[in-house]
Structure formats: structure tokens, C-alpha cells
Amino acid sequence: MSIVGTRVVRKEDPKFLTAGGTYTADVRDALLNGAAHAAFVRSTMAHATLLSVDTSEAKTAPGVLAVFAYDDLADLPGRDMPPGFVMLPPTLGRPILATGKVRFVGEPIVVVVAETAAQAADACELVVVDYDALPVIVDPEKSAASEVLICEPNGSNVAMALQFGSDPNMFDGCEVVISQRVVHNRVAAAPLEGRSSAAVWSNDRLIHWCSTQTPQGARDALQGIYGLADGAVRVIAPDVGGGFGPKIGIYAEELLLGYLAKAVGRGVRWTETRSENMTGLAHGRAQIHYATMGGSRDGKIEAYRIDVLQDAGAYGMIGAFLPFMTRTMASAVYAIPKVECNANSVLTNTTPVAAYRGAGRPEATVTAERMMDLFAAEIGMDSVELRRKNLIPADAFPYTTAVGTTYDVGDYEKSLDMAMDAANYPKLRADQAARRASGSTKQMGIGVAVYVEVTAGPTPGEEWGKVEILADGSAKVYTGTSPHGQGHVTSWSMIAADELGIPFDKITVVHGDTDEVPKGVGTFGSRSLQLGGAAVQKASRSVVALAREVAATLLEANVDDVVLDTERGAFHVSGTPSVARSWAEVATEAADTGGLAAAEDFASTPTFPFGAHIAVVEVDTETGQVRLDRMITCDDSGTLINPLLVEGQRHGGIAQGVGQALLEEIRYDDDGNPVTSNFADYGIISMAELPSYELATLETPTPLNPLGAKGIGESGAIGSTPAVQSAVIDALAHLGVKHIDLPVTAEKVWRAIQTAS
């Protein structure tokens, strides 16, 4: 019987639930004995010229070993860093420490190295920075036209323009045309483990520990910054306490640690505070859409346009490119003949923006679902009926949208039906009608969202895996993916066990150390299972092929006649199961000729998970308070390797999507000061605001990988946000409320009610 598809409890959990994880700050490697600690002096102004930076007093403070500003780093090859995404212009790079001027509150200006973290922090207080304030831009809608330049070498505040052309006549002939400005609030990933790194030199090699989603990418960045040859850097990612996208890259503070370690002649550690995390770790979302939708009065959508304005923050990271992901999914789940999506990414005096769970796809879904609700209201049609009328039919796949995205496989109407059945939609509408008729101040809202997203995309990708059989018959799996809570150790063990016939508990998974895993892309974009898991499956099959040759020698048989009995984990001649050789025997025999191992790359085009979410809320019309009462979802991610892990990913994604809808928003005042720089001010979601989820399961395998699997890590965050937003507005529709921007906080809801009345 195959272990794949069963609810296997995570192998990782006993360690986390008993001894606890080993995070970067917990690492006690002998090389780090006596390590010093780094702390950073950060800008207190959003935009200003640096007139002077006086570090003299800090240098004489107790315990201080070294103090560096930008000018002290002249011998560092990479003190001027390239942009954080390959397609951005070089002018959007940033200095590793601020020079000339600062561009956002929290930008590092000076680094102090001391014997203890407390001494380093105290010495930072002694650094005197003299600023000359410059005009501040925090509003992206004002940035492009502003005469104030944030990055002068770029020549404008436009970080990237993604213009694909526009048809001025695309809405000609439409009976109904509606438009809406849709805000996608800036949010913080808020991983419980913030950024943390440690570095030391050993035998002319840089050994670097960091909390990252991409160890090999971090290694390559370090090699570039220091001008080192291949093999001169080893990156180790121990347990990682949450990533969610912003930890895909490696940050200026972390890149500096190797330089500091060489300067003081010992290891150096750095772990950020929560406020540093909220102002320094890249933010997510931060888009504004100007959307127009046209169609017929009988509900057929004929044309749809989105103009995207992306707030990229003060420097160029992948956030500036995210509108391309939004464009990729602009058509959403609907068969719309004409779709346009153009974008401008602009600089502001705020923390740079990068990928955050969903990375451009939730934005596409929120706007599409918002427009479907508005169009339905305009023509007087039930919003679910309008969706059904425009869904891409199940027999149309593979389906290429009007923006050129080819979806692999889907059955969108079935996912909607399953969610509707699980929710008992007719009863919900009846209960809502009764609540309205009663005149209650506690009104009920029902929000429906249908979504599709792209995983392991938007372009083809690959991942690396290796399987090694040890002399005792156990197996080691090496993977280029880097888990931070997804359960890769469990899933990869299941895949290998299924192919090898080696017991699940005799399989070890190795990841996160670039000496042991020299190749790999990492974990992001819901790519891991369909690429990394498929690479492990491919490597497992290659090992079986090698083992059959060895077993053939032991059995004195033709290799074509040798089969692997995965129930017993033994090789025998076909038709003669009584004479067999175990994995241990085969591995021992192979040891004399180099061992039994195979490494494989697996490449594939993206897949397109989909689903439907229904949110039921109660809104207090006197206070604006929103309570989420029910969350019903149907999420299809192809073949399920481990349904238990899939449910966990769905739970986490839903929570973050609901958080964005109801509470979470990074805000700045007009001077660029962050007013949500800790958990006291930033409304991070907790279990107190969440109901138990009601999950319906649908499996539509993809033909694009042998596992039939699609990604699931981000789906929950894509469907839940528009469903909750829609539900809140639906609760107030009878009062004349048509739209409320995210997040739908109590204040916004109350103001919307007052305005409508």
C-alpha cells in the first residue's frame, strides 16, 4: 500500500514540541565561540541629506571592537549593492550603509561591533547623525509626477514600467461599464523569527548562518559582495521561524557580517529587534488598482482593464516587478475576451517592498472579485450567478487567457459548487434576509470569491534533489528546497519511501547547508512540492535503476529481469520472490564502486491551483466592528501527497488573508515616520479573530509533473481576502454601501455607513 496520499503526522514535530528548534540565534557552533555582536544606527528621518556622521564617542564606549560607516568600507567590493531583482535598472541599487542621504526611516547608517549585544546597542546611542531634511513622498499616487527624486541616478521616481499597450476602444459596445479604485494595503510578513545571521571565517572560507528561504541564493550573493570564488562561502540555514516571501533574499545588514568578522578576527552575530523587523524587513502588497469592467446587461463580461500602481518603497527589490505577476493572473477564473493590465512601479520614502505570500496574485484576485460584485450590483444580478455565467468551463483546459497565460487544468464551477454546498448558501441568504427584516444593528454579510493562482511561476523553473542509500539500508534525501514550516522532511520522506520501499522512518532529509546541498533554488512561490518533490521522486527512481544493476549481479540474473518489491524493500528476479536481496545488501555491494546515489534536476512549467472561498461575517452597524463567523473554502492543489500538511498550509494562508482583510496595515505619517512599528500598533491577526475553518477537498491532478501536484502554500491567502472584504460590504449593501478599501477596519466600516446614510 502506498504511503502517498495518507495523513502522516509530521516527522519534524517531536523536536519542535519537546527540545525546540535550533534557529540562527540558537546556533552554538564551536566556530562562533566568543562571537561579537553587531548593532545598527538607523535613520530617524525618511528623506534627508547626511551632513555628518560622528562615530568618535561610540568607538571609545565599553566593549566596542569596531565602528563602520559607509566610507570605512572602501575595501569591500560590494558596498554598493545591485538592485534586489535582476530585471530592475542598476540605478535602483543601494549602498550597504547609507551614504550621501537616507531614503526611509530604519535605513542602516552605521554598524557597531561590541563584545555583547547590549554594549553594541548602547554604543549606537552615542553616534551623532546630522541631517538636512528633504521633502518626503509616502503617497505612491504623488510619486511619479513629483519633482522630488528619491533615487537621483534613476532620473525619475518610476522604478519599472510594465506597459503592454492599451486599446482606447476596448469598451465600445458594452452596455454596462463600471470603474473602481481598489487599494491593496501594505502589510508586514511578521515572521516570529525575524532576520538573524552569524558569520565567521575558517580556513579562508566564509561560514554564514542565516534565516533564509534560499540558502544557495544567499551564498551566491555573499560571493558577489566579497568578490569570492565558487566554494569560498558556505551558507547554513538552520530552522527558519517563518519566511512568507521577504526572506527570499539576504539583506544589507546580513551581507556585512562577513566583513565585520574579518575586521575583528572572530565570529559576529546579529539578530534584529521586532521594531527593526517591522521597518527593515521588506513589506508586501502595496498596490493601487484603477479597474474598469464592461459587459452586457444579461451578465456577460466582455472587457476588463486594470492599471496597476505599485509602491516599491525606497529601493528596487522584487516588489517593483510584482505587477507582472498581477498581470499574469489578471483574467482570474473568467473567460473574458478582452483583458488589459499595465503597470507603473514607483519609489516612495518607505521600507522597500518584496514578495509576500501570494506575491502579486492576491492583488489580481481581490480586484477581479471586487469588480464582479460591483458589476452584479449594477445590473441587479446575484453575484454568484454572474460568476457562474463567466467562469472558464472545465472542458476548455488547457486555457490561454487574453493576457497570454495558459492555465493547465481546472474545474472552477465544481469548486464553487462544493463551497456553496458546504456553506448551505440558500440558508445563509434566508438568514440574512431575516436579519435585515428585523432591523437588527448586527447585520450578516456573505462574501463569495473564486480564484486561480500560479505556482512555481510565472516562468518555467527547476529544482535539485539527490537520494543516497546507506550501508544499513536507510536513505538520505538531499533537497534544494529550504523548509520553514511546510513539512518538507515529511513529504519528501513519503515520496522516497513510496519509490524505494524503504520505511518512512529510515529516511533522513538534508537541506539548508550549501556544502551538503550545492544546488538548489529554494522555497517560495508554492514551488517546492511540484519541483523539489518531483526531483526527489526522479532521483529515487534513478537510484532504483542503479540498484537493479547491482542486484542483478548479486542474483546472477539479467538486469531486465530484476524488480524491486516496494512492499518488502527487496530486489528479486521477476517470478521468484523467495530469493531476494535487501537494500542493505545492495548498498554494501555498491560501496566498493562508489556507493549508491543519484542526483537529478526536475524542470516544469507553472501550475494553476484554484478554489472558492465563502466568508460569513457579522457587522455591528453602530460601531463598525466586524466579526468573522464562518470561513468555508474549497482549495484544489492537484494530487495530495499528505492531506494533513495541505490542511495546515490552507489554515495558515487563510489566517494571513483574513488578517489583511480585517486588520493588518503598515502606515506612515506625512513625514514618513512608521506608526505601526511593533505588535502594539500593527494589528496582526490572532486566533481570537478567527473561527474554525470548514474545508472542502477537491483534487484535480495536473499533467505537468509526475506527482500531479500543484502548490498550496499561498492559496488560502488568495481566496480569503476578497471573500471577507465582499462579506463586509454585503452586510451593508442594503444601507447603500458599495465599496470599502482594505483593511475593512471598524473605523472604515463606521465611516462608510455614515457616508452612505
Side-chain angles (χ1 to χ4, degrees):
M1 177 181 174
S2 173
I3 192 174
V4 169
T6 61
R7 299 174 65 85
V8 177
V9 175
R10 295 193 341 161
K11 295 174 72 170
E12 300 93 325
D13 286 347
K15 177 187 76 170
F16 289 113
L17 294 172
T18 54
T22 300
Y23 303 97
T24 299
D26 302 320
V27 171
R28 293 295 178 264
D29 192 282
L31 290 172
L32 291 173
N33 287 343
H37 294 263
F40 291 86
V41 177
R42 298 180 181 277
S43 175
T44 58
M45 301 194 72
H47 198 200
T49 301
L50 290 174
L51 297 178
S52 65
V53 179
D54 184 355
T55 63
S56 57
E57 192 174 353
K59 290 177 179 177
T60 62
V64 170
L65 302 172
V67 180
F68 297 94
Y70 175 85
D71 290 341
D72 302 315
L73 306 175
D75 57 337
L76 177 62
R79 70 172 179 166
D80 295 305
M81 301 159 54
F85 187 67
V86 66
M87 294 186 69
L88 296 175
T91 50
L92 293 183
R94 63 181 287 185
I96 203 163
L97 292 174
T99 180
K101 74 173 188 175
V102 290
R103 294 173 171 85
F104 69 98
V105 172
E107 182 172 4
I109 302 171
V110 170
V111 60
V112 175
V113 186
E115 295 286 356
T116 69
Q119 289 172 331
D122 288 344
C124 285
E125 298 294 326
L126 303 176
V127 175
V128 179
V129 181
D130 190 10
Y131 302 94
D132 184 17
L134 295 170
V136 172
I137 304 172
V138 294
D139 184 347
E141 290 181 305
K142 297 178 181 178
S143 176
S146 176
E147 294 180 358
V148 177
L149 294 184
I150 294 171
C151 182
E152 291 84 354
N154 194 54
S156 80
N157 288 332
V158 177
M160 174 173 276
L162 295 165
Q163 300 296 322
F164 296 88
S166 182
D167 176 7
N169 304 313
M170 73 179 294
F171 294 100
D172 289 356
C174 293
E175 294 177 316
V176 179
V177 178
I178 61 164
S179 296
Q180 180 65 48
R181 175 180 177 270
V182 181
V183 174
H184 302 267
N185 40 323
R186 176 186 282 248
V187 294
L192 290 185
E193 181 201 23
R195 293 175 295 171
S196 184
S197 286
V200 69
W201 292 85
S202 176
N203 299 322
D204 294 324
R205 293 185 79 209
L206 174 60
I207 316 298
H208 189 106
W209 291 262
C210 61
S211 181
T212 179
Q213 298 171 229
T214 55
Q216 291 79 16
R219 174 199 61 196
D220 296 346
L222 286 163
Q223 286 178 180
I225 288 291
Y226 292 101
L228 298 172
D230 290 347
V233 177
R234 178 186 184 187
V235 168
I236 303 167
D239 293 322
V240 174
F244 310 117
K247 288 186 184 177
I248 292 173
I250 183 169
Y251 290 77
E253 297 94 330
E254 299 169 295
L255 291 168
L256 260 180
L257 294 190
Y259 183 90
L260 304 179
K262 182 159 282 189
V264 301
R266 60 171 112 163
V268 175
R269 293 178 176 272
W270 172 69
T271 299
E272 69 179 355
T273 65
R274 180 53 58 183
S275 289
E276 286 180 304
N277 175 267
M278 297 295 280
T279 58
L281 185 73
H283 295 159
R285 306 291 187 256
Q287 290 185 5
I288 300 172
H289 293 181
Y290 310 94
T292 303
M293 180 174 280
S296 62
R297 289 214 166 267
D298 65 358
K300 196 64 179 174
I301 306 302
E302 298 163 354
Y304 177 42
R305 173 187 290 150
I306 321 174
D307 290 307
V308 177
L309 180 65
Q310 172 73 60
D311 183 351
Y315 290 102
M317 294 181 69
I318 193 173
F321 183 73
L322 288 182
F324 183 83
M325 298 291 287
T326 303
R327 181 182 187 274
T328 299
M329 303 310 299
S331 189
V333 292
Y334 304 111
I336 306 174
K338 294 184 288 186
V339 180
E340 290 182 354
C341 182
N342 295 301
N344 280 322
S345 295
V346 297
L347 301 175
T348 59
N349 293 120
T350 62
T351 300
V353 172
Y356 171 71
R357 201 168 194 164
R361 292 100 78 197
E363 294 88 325
T365 301
V366 165
T367 298
E369 294 306 278
R370 193 81 284 282
M371 297 304 288
M372 293 299 284
D373 280 347
L374 289 166
F375 196 94
E378 182 68 21
I379 65 174
M381 180 180 287
D382 179 78
S383 64
V384 173
E385 182 184 348
L386 179 69
R387 285 172 168 83
R388 287 191 192 280
K389 187 179 283 283
N390 291 281
L391 289 173
I392 299 166
D395 61 1
F397 294 91
Y399 179 86
T400 300
T401 71
V403 295
T405 305
T406 300
Y407 300 163
D408 53 349
V409 64
D411 193 339
Y412 305 151
E413 187 165 19
K414 185 173 183 180
S415 69
L416 177 59
D417 288 342
M418 291 178 68
M420 298 272 284
D421 289 345
N424 196 348
Y425 186 76
K427 184 177 186 304
L428 289 177
R429 286 299 180 194
D431 291 346
Q432 181 187 54
R435 187 85 66 101
R436 288 180 177 177
S438 73
S440 171
T441 59
K442 304 288 181 67
Q443 285 298 314
M444 177 181 180
I446 306 153
V448 179
V450 189
Y451 75 91
V452 60
E453 71 136 332
V454 56
T455 59
T459 57
E462 68 174 22
E463 192 50 88
W464 180 86
K466 175 184 173 183
V467 175
E468 178 184 11
I469 309 299
L470 306 183
D472 63 357
S474 63
K476 263 191 177 182
V477 172
Y478 301 80
T479 177
T481 66
S482 185
H484 38 279
Q486 295 88 348
H488 292 183
V489 171
T490 300
S491 295
W492 287 200
S493 295
M494 292 173 68
I495 292 168
D498 196 56
E499 296 292 334
L500 302 173
I502 294 175
F504 172 78
D505 58 2
K506 292 186 68 176
I507 297 174
T508 304
V509 178
V510 178
H511 58 82
D513 184 333
T514 60
D515 271 11
E516 294 197 78
V517 186
K519 293 182 65 176
V521 178
T523 295
F524 54 89
S526 301
R527 68 189 304 277
S528 296
L529 180 63
Q530 57 196 300
L531 297 179
V536 168
Q537 183 190 56
K538 188 177 179 182
S540 298
R541 291 175 175 177
S542 295
V543 162
V544 170
L546 294 173
R548 286 177 62 238
E549 294 181 6
V550 178
T553 301
L554 292 173
L555 294 167
E556 299 180 346
N558 188 306
V559 66
D560 294 335
D561 296 329
V562 175
V563 297
L564 169 62
D565 181 350
T566 55
E567 293 294 321
R568 293 192 295 158
F571 295 86
H572 63 81
V573 176
S574 180
T576 315
S578 59
V579 180
R581 295 291 182 266
S582 68
W583 272 110
E585 291 173 299
V586 172
T588 299
E589 177 69 17
D592 294 335
T593 56
L596 204 53
E600 296 283 358
D601 293 299
F602 179 81
S604 177
T605 53
T607 63
F608 294 83
F610 62 91
H613 287 199
I614 298 176
V616 182
V617 303
E618 181 181 87
V619 180
D620 188 325
T621 57
E622 294 182 321
T623 67
Q625 184 65 41
V626 177
R627 186 183 72 198
L628 179 63
D629 285 337
R630 292 180 68 190
M631 195 74 214
I632 306 102
T633 82
C634 178
D635 301 296
D636 186 299
S637 58
T639 302
L640 304 186
I641 303 301
N642 185 331
L644 192 64
L645 297 185
V646 170
E647 289 173 9
Q649 287 296 296
R650 292 170 71 184
H651 282 199
I654 292 167
Q656 286 186 264
V658 172
Q660 182 189 351
L662 292 180
L663 299 169
E664 299 188 30
E665 184 176 31
I666 290 287
R667 293 182 290 112
Y668 294 86
D669 67 17
D670 291 341
D671 295 322
N673 297 305
V675 295
T676 49
S677 59
N678 54 54
F679 285 166
D681 301 319
Y682 183 80
I684 191 168
I685 197 80
S686 74
M687 292 308 296
E689 292 81 38
L690 297 168
S692 294
Y693 308 132
E694 302 166 55
L695 307 182
T697 300
L698 177 63
E699 292 185 64
T700 309
T702 178
L704 298 180
N705 64 69
L707 296 171
K710 311 169 196 170
I712 189 59
E714 294 159 295
S715 293
I718 293 172
S720 59
T721 306
V724 171
Q725 182 183 28
S726 176
V728 173
I729 298 168
D730 178 68
L732 308 173
H734 66 296
L735 302 178
V737 174
K738 295 183 178 180
H739 179 76
I740 306 173
D741 278 324
L742 296 169
V744 285
T745 59
E747 180 183 356
K748 285 184 182 178
V749 171
W750 183 86
R751 290 188 183 281
I753 294 170
Q754 304 313 305
T755 300
S757 63

